[in-house]
Amino acid sequence: MPTTLRIHPAVVEAREKLAKGREKLRKQHNSGTPGVQVCAHFTDLLEGMVVELFNAVIADAPEDQREKIKQHFCVVAHSGFGRREMAPYSDVDVMLLHSIRSEEAALPIIRQFSQHLYDLGLDVGFSARTVSQAISMAMQDTTVLTSLSESRCIAGNAELFERFDNQFRWYVKRRWKKLLPGIENARREERTEFGETVFLLEPNVKRSRGGLRDIQLVRWLGFCRFGESEPKLLEQAGHLLKDDLKKLRAARDFLLWLRNDLHFSQGKAADLLDKTEQLRLAELQNRPPQEGLLPVEQFMREYFQHTSNVREIVNSFAELCRPQFPLWWLLEPLLTHQFEGDFRVGPRTIKCTKQGLAKMRRDLGEVLRLVDLANLYNKRIDHGTWRTIREAVSQMPPADPSEPLREDISKLFLSLLSQPARLGELLRRLHELRVLEQIIPAVSHTRSLLQFNAYHRYTVDEHTLRAVEYLTKLKDDRGVPGEVYRGIKQKRVLHLAMLLHDLGKGYVEDHSEVGRRLAEQTGHRLGLSKDETEATMLLVHKHLRMSHLAQQHDISDDEVVVQFAVEVGSPELLQMLYVLTLADLAAVGPGVLNDWKKELLTDLYHHTLRLLSSESPATAMTARRRARMDELLAATANFSDRAWLKKQIEVLPSSSLYAGNAAEVVSQLERLRKLSPSDAVAWSKYQAERNVVEYAVGTYDQITPGIFHKLTGALSSQRQQILSAEINTLADGLVLDRFYVQDRDYSGAPPENRRQEVCRALEQALTTASQGEPTFRRTWQDRSQATDSRAQHLPTRVSFDNNTAERFTIVAVFAYDRMGLLYTITRALFELELSVSIAKIGTHLDQVVDVFYVTTLGGAKIVDEKRLEEIRAKLLAAIESMPAA
């Protein structure tokens, strides 16, 4: 009550108006009122309140001072308030402009007015400045400059504001060349923080690339360069294309509606479009079913189409605004040379002559000729030339996928694909300008196509372009991937397959099958030879095969690798599939292609290459295994019980057979020889090249029931992220389990005492009579409750494979990652009386794919359908019963 009495009556009245006004606007929004209108109405509401509060200050002043206040002060709305785009919980930017030289004399008015604004309960950005102070601040601070570029007087002395506005514009006009880079740099820094790509799957609708801030950037750049911020006036002056203005307005209307809804939904300023909000908004829009696409994927596709348009327009407009070298028209003939009358090639750029521009406006082949030339010369294409291409392609009808391309266009495109120099950059521009879909029509389907899962971070088209960019950067890589990439002769086949590999997404059928058909269609359209078409089809069809083998199967298993070698068929195709797989993983999101996965894929590549280089892969594999066993037997020469060691070596599975050099393998077996049936021993080794710790545990199978799930529980409780596991049963009931982990509490190699602590926990898990359920310790590094809540929308799946492995049923579990998940799964497998022989744990962002090679306790495959369904139901129930966080 006392607090209310201290608040000015005008503020109390304004608060009531604000609450009623917001509620009224919420109803208008829910009834379908366009976002721009809701924002304008809210701006009017706020403007009325701010004016009333200023008038209250005047009314409270002594009568003889009131006219003086009106004469010396004016209230200026700027930023979103100035351009009349206020969202329901936006902050309000107000400047009290005054002409009183003495700050002390102006202070009482400033204090009272600012206090009224803050008491209103809004997030207020308030400043009080003279004309000279405001202009001086704007010339020094980019944020102030851009904010004041969208100003209007709402109360007080309009002539004072006009004086400020005229002087401000005059200073900006004089200094635009210095001011312009600051505006671009500030926006670039903001995009880096909030999302540099428009295809970020949880974007900030205001600050991420292509969002509202980029639309505002057009206004700021226009004001700075041309003295005008209104896009309509910029279009009338010829600085914006008519089609660009139309797209900017459509994007603004959509994004303002979206931001309004986020604010109303959360009752506060909220600009993050996370997965929960995406699902809610998609349901709210009640979109009709579309084959192969979820409603949320349809909604986000529309979002990305708008933000993509904004990005392209902003890039083009920013280039137009940048200052040109003043004497370039004199120096150009001296520093450039003409190419066939149509192009001029300079030190850094290539551009079209007037003759070349005229040809380009009517012929797609000329566009490809230019792009191919830019790639061969490794030059950037001039902005004016790109602008002509944008205008020309917008007039072209959609391409017919059944029609073959003109031979000259096909040759030029294939020539472009064969050179990595600027390929990634040029393909990205061709995609942005809709040229790429004129060549490969199926590309249009993937434009802005979202995959609503926790695995992919980008849309399909952005993922594809990033994959191509990764490939072309391999030309400078000093490791095995770079060596392989540089050795590939048919780079155009590789790059084409990379472009096509995910074109089958967004359909009901498996995308690899759809992609294979599209690859065949594209091969015919481009006039590829039969061999090139078949190679492209195989790479697209099998683009996931190598990744799945390395991450989900036992690549030390002879049968698995021999089968893969037969599928690939040739060393050259293997080379292309290897680097294509690396690029595919790298383009999923930051950190997805880690050292561990790269090493696994490289091992599989080398292993398969050796087989393909022999006359018979199966014979070569048998010979390799026999040679390895002979090597191990030779290493037992200095041990006392060679007969025991030989017996163990004869039954070693491949994963243990090649687990280190011969001396290391025999030394580990010797450790096991000294064990008693009631003992367990654990040891560790840090593998720097993979940035993982290998923990090995030796014991007898009779020591305790459920050895594997107890060990996984011990590791998880010690905050070890398990990447892979091998469960090996040797002769005489000996068990040798290996786990490859990364310590969540350390970056790089954990200290020796930490590794000893984990080893003790592993031994105690098997030798201590009853430890109860393990506890999984959390730290601030774990995902938040909010992140975990989104996972409830991701389906948990269990699948079975009885074809890949001769002796095992392969169980794959697809689930959202959380602490204790692996323990829950392995415990359920134990309770189902299944024996686990191999485990592969793949984590992709927030999604895991855990794969287990299992048999019955008697060592048989599980083939009965009822039994398989029982296993599926048990695993799903166990996972679903876990807490969300």
Side-chain angles (χ1 to χ4, degrees):
M1 185 69 177
T3 302
T4 305
L5 291 175
R6 287 200 298 269
I7 295 176
H8 196 283
V11 176
V12 175
E13 184 181 351
R15 280 184 172 184
E16 293 174 357
K17 286 183 178 178
L18 178 62
K20 291 178 181 177
R22 275 196 180 128
E23 188 55 36
K24 181 180 178 181
L25 288 171
R26 180 195 294 271
K27 292 177 181 177
Q28 289 181 2
H29 170 80
N30 291 340
S31 68
T33 301
V36 67
Q37 290 184 24
V38 171
C39 289
H41 292 163
F42 188 55
T43 303
D44 291 342
L45 174 68
L46 291 175
E47 184 175 327
M49 290 189 293
V50 171
V51 170
E52 287 175 8
L53 295 179
F54 181 66
N55 290 336
V57 173
I58 297 174
D60 289 344
E63 191 171 346
D64 60 344
Q65 295 292 314
R66 293 172 187 171
E67 285 303 317
K68 185 178 180 180
I69 294 173
K70 293 178 182 178
Q71 182 181 357
H72 288 284
F73 288 87
C74 76
V75 181
V76 179
H78 56 92
S79 296
F81 196 18
R83 65 178 175 270
R84 297 171 57 79
E85 289 183 356
M86 293 294 293
Y89 291 90
S90 294
D91 54 327
V92 182
D93 291 308
V94 176
M95 179 174 68
L96 188 59
L97 195 67
H98 66 89
S99 56
I100 299 178
R101 293 184 178 181
S102 168
E103 289 188 12
E104 191 173 327
L107 202 55
I109 304 300
I110 295 170
R111 281 179 175 170
Q112 189 175 2
F113 181 53
S114 62
Q115 188 62 54
H116 287 352
L117 291 175
Y118 291 124
D119 286 346
L120 190 55
L122 295 169
D123 189 359
V124 179
F126 178 80
S127 62
R129 300 183 181 113
T130 63
V131 169
S132 60
Q133 287 173 340
I135 293 173
S136 176
M137 286 287 292
M139 295 303 104
Q140 299 173 44
D141 189 316
T142 299
T143 302
V144 177
L145 170 68
T146 56
S147 179
L148 294 183
S149 70
E150 301 179 296
S151 299
R152 56 192 179 87
C153 177
I154 61 174
N157 188 346
E159 291 181 1
L160 175 62
F161 174 77
E162 187 175 352
R163 185 164 79 248
F164 155 75
D165 192 51
N166 289 337
Q167 290 185 33
F168 178 51
R169 289 175 180 273
W170 184 81
Y171 272 95
V172 171
K173 185 176 181 179
R174 284 188 61 196
R175 303 185 185 187
W176 73 269
K177 290 182 181 179
K178 292 183 179 179
L179 298 174
L180 202 70
I183 295 174
E184 288 196 78
N185 289 336
R187 176 64 189 125
R188 192 176 297 113
E189 290 174 5
E190 186 178 47
R191 285 199 307 252
T192 299
E193 180 180 356
F194 288 95
E196 181 59 30
T197 171
V198 300
F199 302 110
L200 197 67
L201 298 193
E202 289 194 328
N204 184 299
V205 298
K206 180 179 179 182
R207 293 182 169 87
S208 292
R209 188 159 196 171
L212 286 165
R213 191 71 96 199
D214 272 347
I215 299 176
Q216 293 158 22
L217 180 60
V218 170
R219 300 174 64 94
W220 300 337
L221 294 176
F223 179 84
C224 188
R225 177 66 180 88
F226 305 113
E228 184 51 67
S229 59
E230 280 298 326
K232 175 63 178 175
L233 297 178
L234 290 170
E235 185 267 332
Q236 290 175 353
H239 305 311
L240 268 180
L241 299 177
K242 194 168 186 178
D243 188 54
D244 287 350
L245 176 63
K246 182 180 177 182
K247 289 177 179 176
L248 276 181
R249 283 178 169 173
R252 178 203 62 182
D253 293 349
F254 176 82
L255 292 172
L256 286 178
W257 167 83
L258 178 55
R259 189 173 185 227
N260 289 343
D261 199 274
L262 292 174
H263 281 218
F264 280 130
S265 171
Q266 299 185 35
K268 62 180 181 180
D271 300 325
L272 181 66
L273 185 57
D274 63 25
K275 287 187 170 66
T276 301
E277 288 294 340
Q278 292 170 23
L279 285 161
R280 181 186 65 80
L281 286 160
E283 185 178 349
L284 183 69
Q285 289 193 328
N286 194 26
R287 292 171 178 256
Q290 187 173 335
E291 192 174 55
L293 287 179
L294 298 170
V296 67
E297 292 171 339
Q298 297 177 49
F299 168 72
M300 288 304 293
R301 189 176 202 174
E302 181 180 0
Y303 173 87
F304 290 129
Q305 285 170 343
H306 284 301
T307 53
S308 297
N309 288 338
V310 171
R311 178 197 57 185
E312 294 162 22
I313 294 165
V314 167
N315 287 347
S316 178
F317 187 70
E319 186 69 34
L320 176 69
C321 291
R322 292 181 190 121
Q324 304 298 316
F325 185 62
L327 298 179
W328 178 247
W329 64 276
L330 287 174
L331 295 176
E332 184 178 28
L334 301 176
L335 298 178
T336 66
H337 67 272
Q338 202 169 87
F339 183 86
E340 297 181 357
D342 296 327
F343 310 109
R344 295 203 70 90
V345 182
R348 293 184 299 173
T349 63
I350 183 170
K351 65 183 293 187
C352 285
T353 63
K354 288 184 178 179
Q355 173 183 308
L357 288 174
K359 290 182 180 179
M360 196 171 299
R361 287 190 178 96
R362 61 178 184 266
D363 191 346
L364 183 64
E366 292 300 314
V367 175
L368 267 294
R369 182 168 161 238
L370 166 69
V371 173
D372 183 45
L373 196 64
N375 199 30
L376 290 172
Y377 274 95
N378 196 13
K379 304 289 184 185
R380 184 170 57 86
I381 295 176
D382 171 73
H383 166 69
T385 303
W386 277 126
R387 184 174 172 130
T388 299
I389 295 173
R390 290 183 71 225
E391 291 181 77
V393 175
S394 66
Q395 307 299 319
M396 294 180 183
D400 184 349
S402 63
E403 290 291 325
L405 272 176
R406 266 179 23 209
E407 185 177 356
D408 62 319
I409 295 177
S410 177
K411 285 182 177 179
L412 287 166
F413 184 65
L414 292 173
S415 174
L416 171 67
L417 289 179
S418 66
Q419 298 292 331
R422 302 182 79 91
L423 179 62
E425 169 199 332
L426 292 169
L427 286 176
R428 182 176 288 279
R429 289 305 299 269
L430 290 177
H431 179 58
E432 289 174 357
L433 304 184
R434 273 67 173 178
V435 176
L436 195 55
E437 57 202 55
Q438 289 285 337
I439 303 164
I440 307 173
V443 167
S444 61
H445 173 74
T446 65
R447 182 177 293 280
S448 305
L449 179 61
L450 167 75
Q451 301 163 84
F452 192 73
N453 56 42
Y455 181 48
H456 286 88
R457 187 171 180 180
Y458 308 111
T459 56
V460 175
D461 52 343
E462 176 68 8
H463 161 77
T464 299
L465 292 169
R466 284 173 176 261
V468 174
E469 289 166 351
Y470 178 91
L471 273 184
T472 57
K473 288 176 184 176
L474 289 178
K475 69 181 186 297
D476 301 317
D477 181 79
R478 296 295 96 192
V480 175
E483 180 184 336
V484 172
Y485 176 78
R486 289 187 293 273
I488 295 172
K489 295 178 181 178
Q490 290 185 303
K491 285 190 174 65
R492 71 183 195 178
V493 170
L494 170 65
H495 296 148
L496 178 61
M498 194 84 263
L499 261 182
L500 304 179
H501 80 285
D502 271 354
L503 290 190
K505 289 193 169 174
Y507 298 99
V508 175
E509 191 180 354
D510 180 84
H511 81 279
S512 295
E513 294 292 338
V514 177
R516 182 178 182 277
R517 293 197 297 273
L518 290 173
E520 181 178 23
Q521 185 182 77
T522 303
H524 295 322
R525 179 171 167 79
L526 293 175
L528 293 179
S529 68
K530 181 181 178 183
D531 288 345
E532 286 180 313
T533 300
E534 288 180 351
T536 307
M537 290 167 63
L538 183 140
L539 291 171
V540 172
H541 189 228
K542 302 291 184 182
H543 73 271
L544 295 175
R545 183 73 169 126
M546 202 167 183
S547 176
H548 285 175
L549 278 177
Q551 297 184 70
Q552 300 180 20
H553 296 284
D554 180 13
I555 60 174
S556 63
D557 186 333
D558 299 358
E559 295 175 6
V560 169
V561 184
V562 167
Q563 183 181 339
F564 176 57
V566 171
E567 282 182 60
V568 176
S570 75
E572 186 176 26
L573 282 172
L574 175 66
Q575 290 171 341
M576 288 194 277
L577 190 59
Y578 167 62
V579 293
L580 185 145
T581 303
L582 292 173
D584 192 18
L585 285 172
V588 167
V592 173
L593 180 63
N594 54 28
D595 292 341
W596 168 256
K597 292 174 188 171
K598 190 181 293 186
E599 194 70 24
L600 280 178
L601 288 165
T602 303
D603 284 351
L604 177 57
Y605 164 73
H606 283 310
H607 197 169
T608 311
L609 186 62
R610 283 193 294 268
L611 297 179
L612 286 171
S613 301
S614 66
E615 293 184 4
S616 169
T619 302
M621 185 67 78
T622 303
R624 174 174 175 263
R625 180 177 175 84
R626 186 66 259 173
R628 178 60 171 174
M629 291 176 67
D630 290 342
E631 187 182 3
L632 293 179
L633 290 172
T636 66
N638 297 325
F639 291 89
S640 58
D641 196 346
R642 292 190 67 193
W644 186 91
L645 289 171
K646 180 180 179 181
K647 180 172 61 173
Q648 297 296 342
I649 290 171
E650 292 287 349
V651 298
L652 275 182
S654 296
S655 57
S656 292
L657 202 62
Y658 302 102
N661 60 47
E664 287 176 332
V665 174
V666 172
S667 176
Q668 291 175 7
L669 290 175
E670 179 66 11
R671 286 194 189 195
L672 300 182
R673 188 179 68 82
K674 299 174 182 179
L675 276 178
S676 72
S678 59
D679 284 341
V681 60
W683 63 90
S684 70
K685 179 175 68 174
Y686 177 68
Q687 298 182 3
E689 69 279 5
R690 292 182 172 180
N691 188 28
V692 297
V693 181
E694 174 192 333
Y695 285 101
V697 183
T699 189
Y700 280 85
D701 57 9
Q702 67 191 52
I703 191 169
T704 182
I707 292 174
F708 185 52
H709 86 263
K710 289 182 178 180
L711 293 177
T712 59
L715 286 170
S716 297
S717 66
Q718 291 290 320
R719 288 188 51 76
Q720 305 298 306
Q721 180 181 354
I722 304 172
L723 301 174
S724 184
E726 299 162 1
I727 301 89
N728 303 310
T729 302
L730 312 183
D732 302 326
L734 272 172
V735 172
L736 176 58
D737 291 355
R738 282 192 179 84
F739 297 85
Y740 300 90
V741 309
Q742 288 180 335
D743 197 314
R744 293 174 185 261
D745 292 339
Y746 293 90
S747 176
E752 180 63 28
N753 63 340
R754 168 63 166 168
R755 286 159 48 195
Q756 291 176 357
E757 177 188 2
V758 176
C759 286
R760 286 194 296 271
L762 289 167
E763 292 169 354
Q764 291 170 6
L766 302 183
T767 57
T768 303
S770 177
Q771 292 189 319
E773 293 286 323
T775 57
F776 304 115
R777 177 168 54 92
R778 297 184 178 280
T779 72
W780 63 271
Q781 293 174 308
D782 287 330
R783 283 184 296 275
S784 67
Q785 174 73 37
T787 303
D788 281 336
S789 68
R790 296 196 294 270
Q792 305 312 307
H793 304 296
L794 302 170
T796 301
R797 293 188 293 117
V798 176
S799 65
F800 304 101
D801 176 1
N802 268 318
N803 298 316
T804 301
E806 182 179 354
R807 296 185 297 112
F808 302 102
T809 294
I810 301 175
V811 181
V813 180
F814 302 80
Y816 183 79
D817 195 17
R818 69 205 89 167
M819 289 293 289
L821 175 65
L822 183 58
Y823 171 78
T824 299
I825 296 171
T826 53
R827 182 182 176 89
L829 292 173
F830 166 70
E831 291 171 349
L832 284 161
E833 298 184 340
L834 297 176
S835 175
V836 180
S837 295
I838 299 167
K840 288 287 189 103
I841 292 83
T843 305
H844 315 286
L845 301 180
D846 291 331
Q847 186 90 19
V848 296
V849 184
D850 292 347
V851 178
F852 305 91
Y853 282 53
V854 304
T855 64
T856 65
L857 296 180
K861 273 187 172 185
I862 303 97
V863 294
D864 181 71
E865 288 296 328
K866 288 184 179 179
R867 177 62 168 150
L868 291 173
E869 283 306 312
E870 178 191 354
I871 294 169
R872 190 198 311 275
K874 172 75 174 177
L875 288 170
L876 290 174
I879 295 168
E880 293 304 318
S881 66
M882 291 182 67

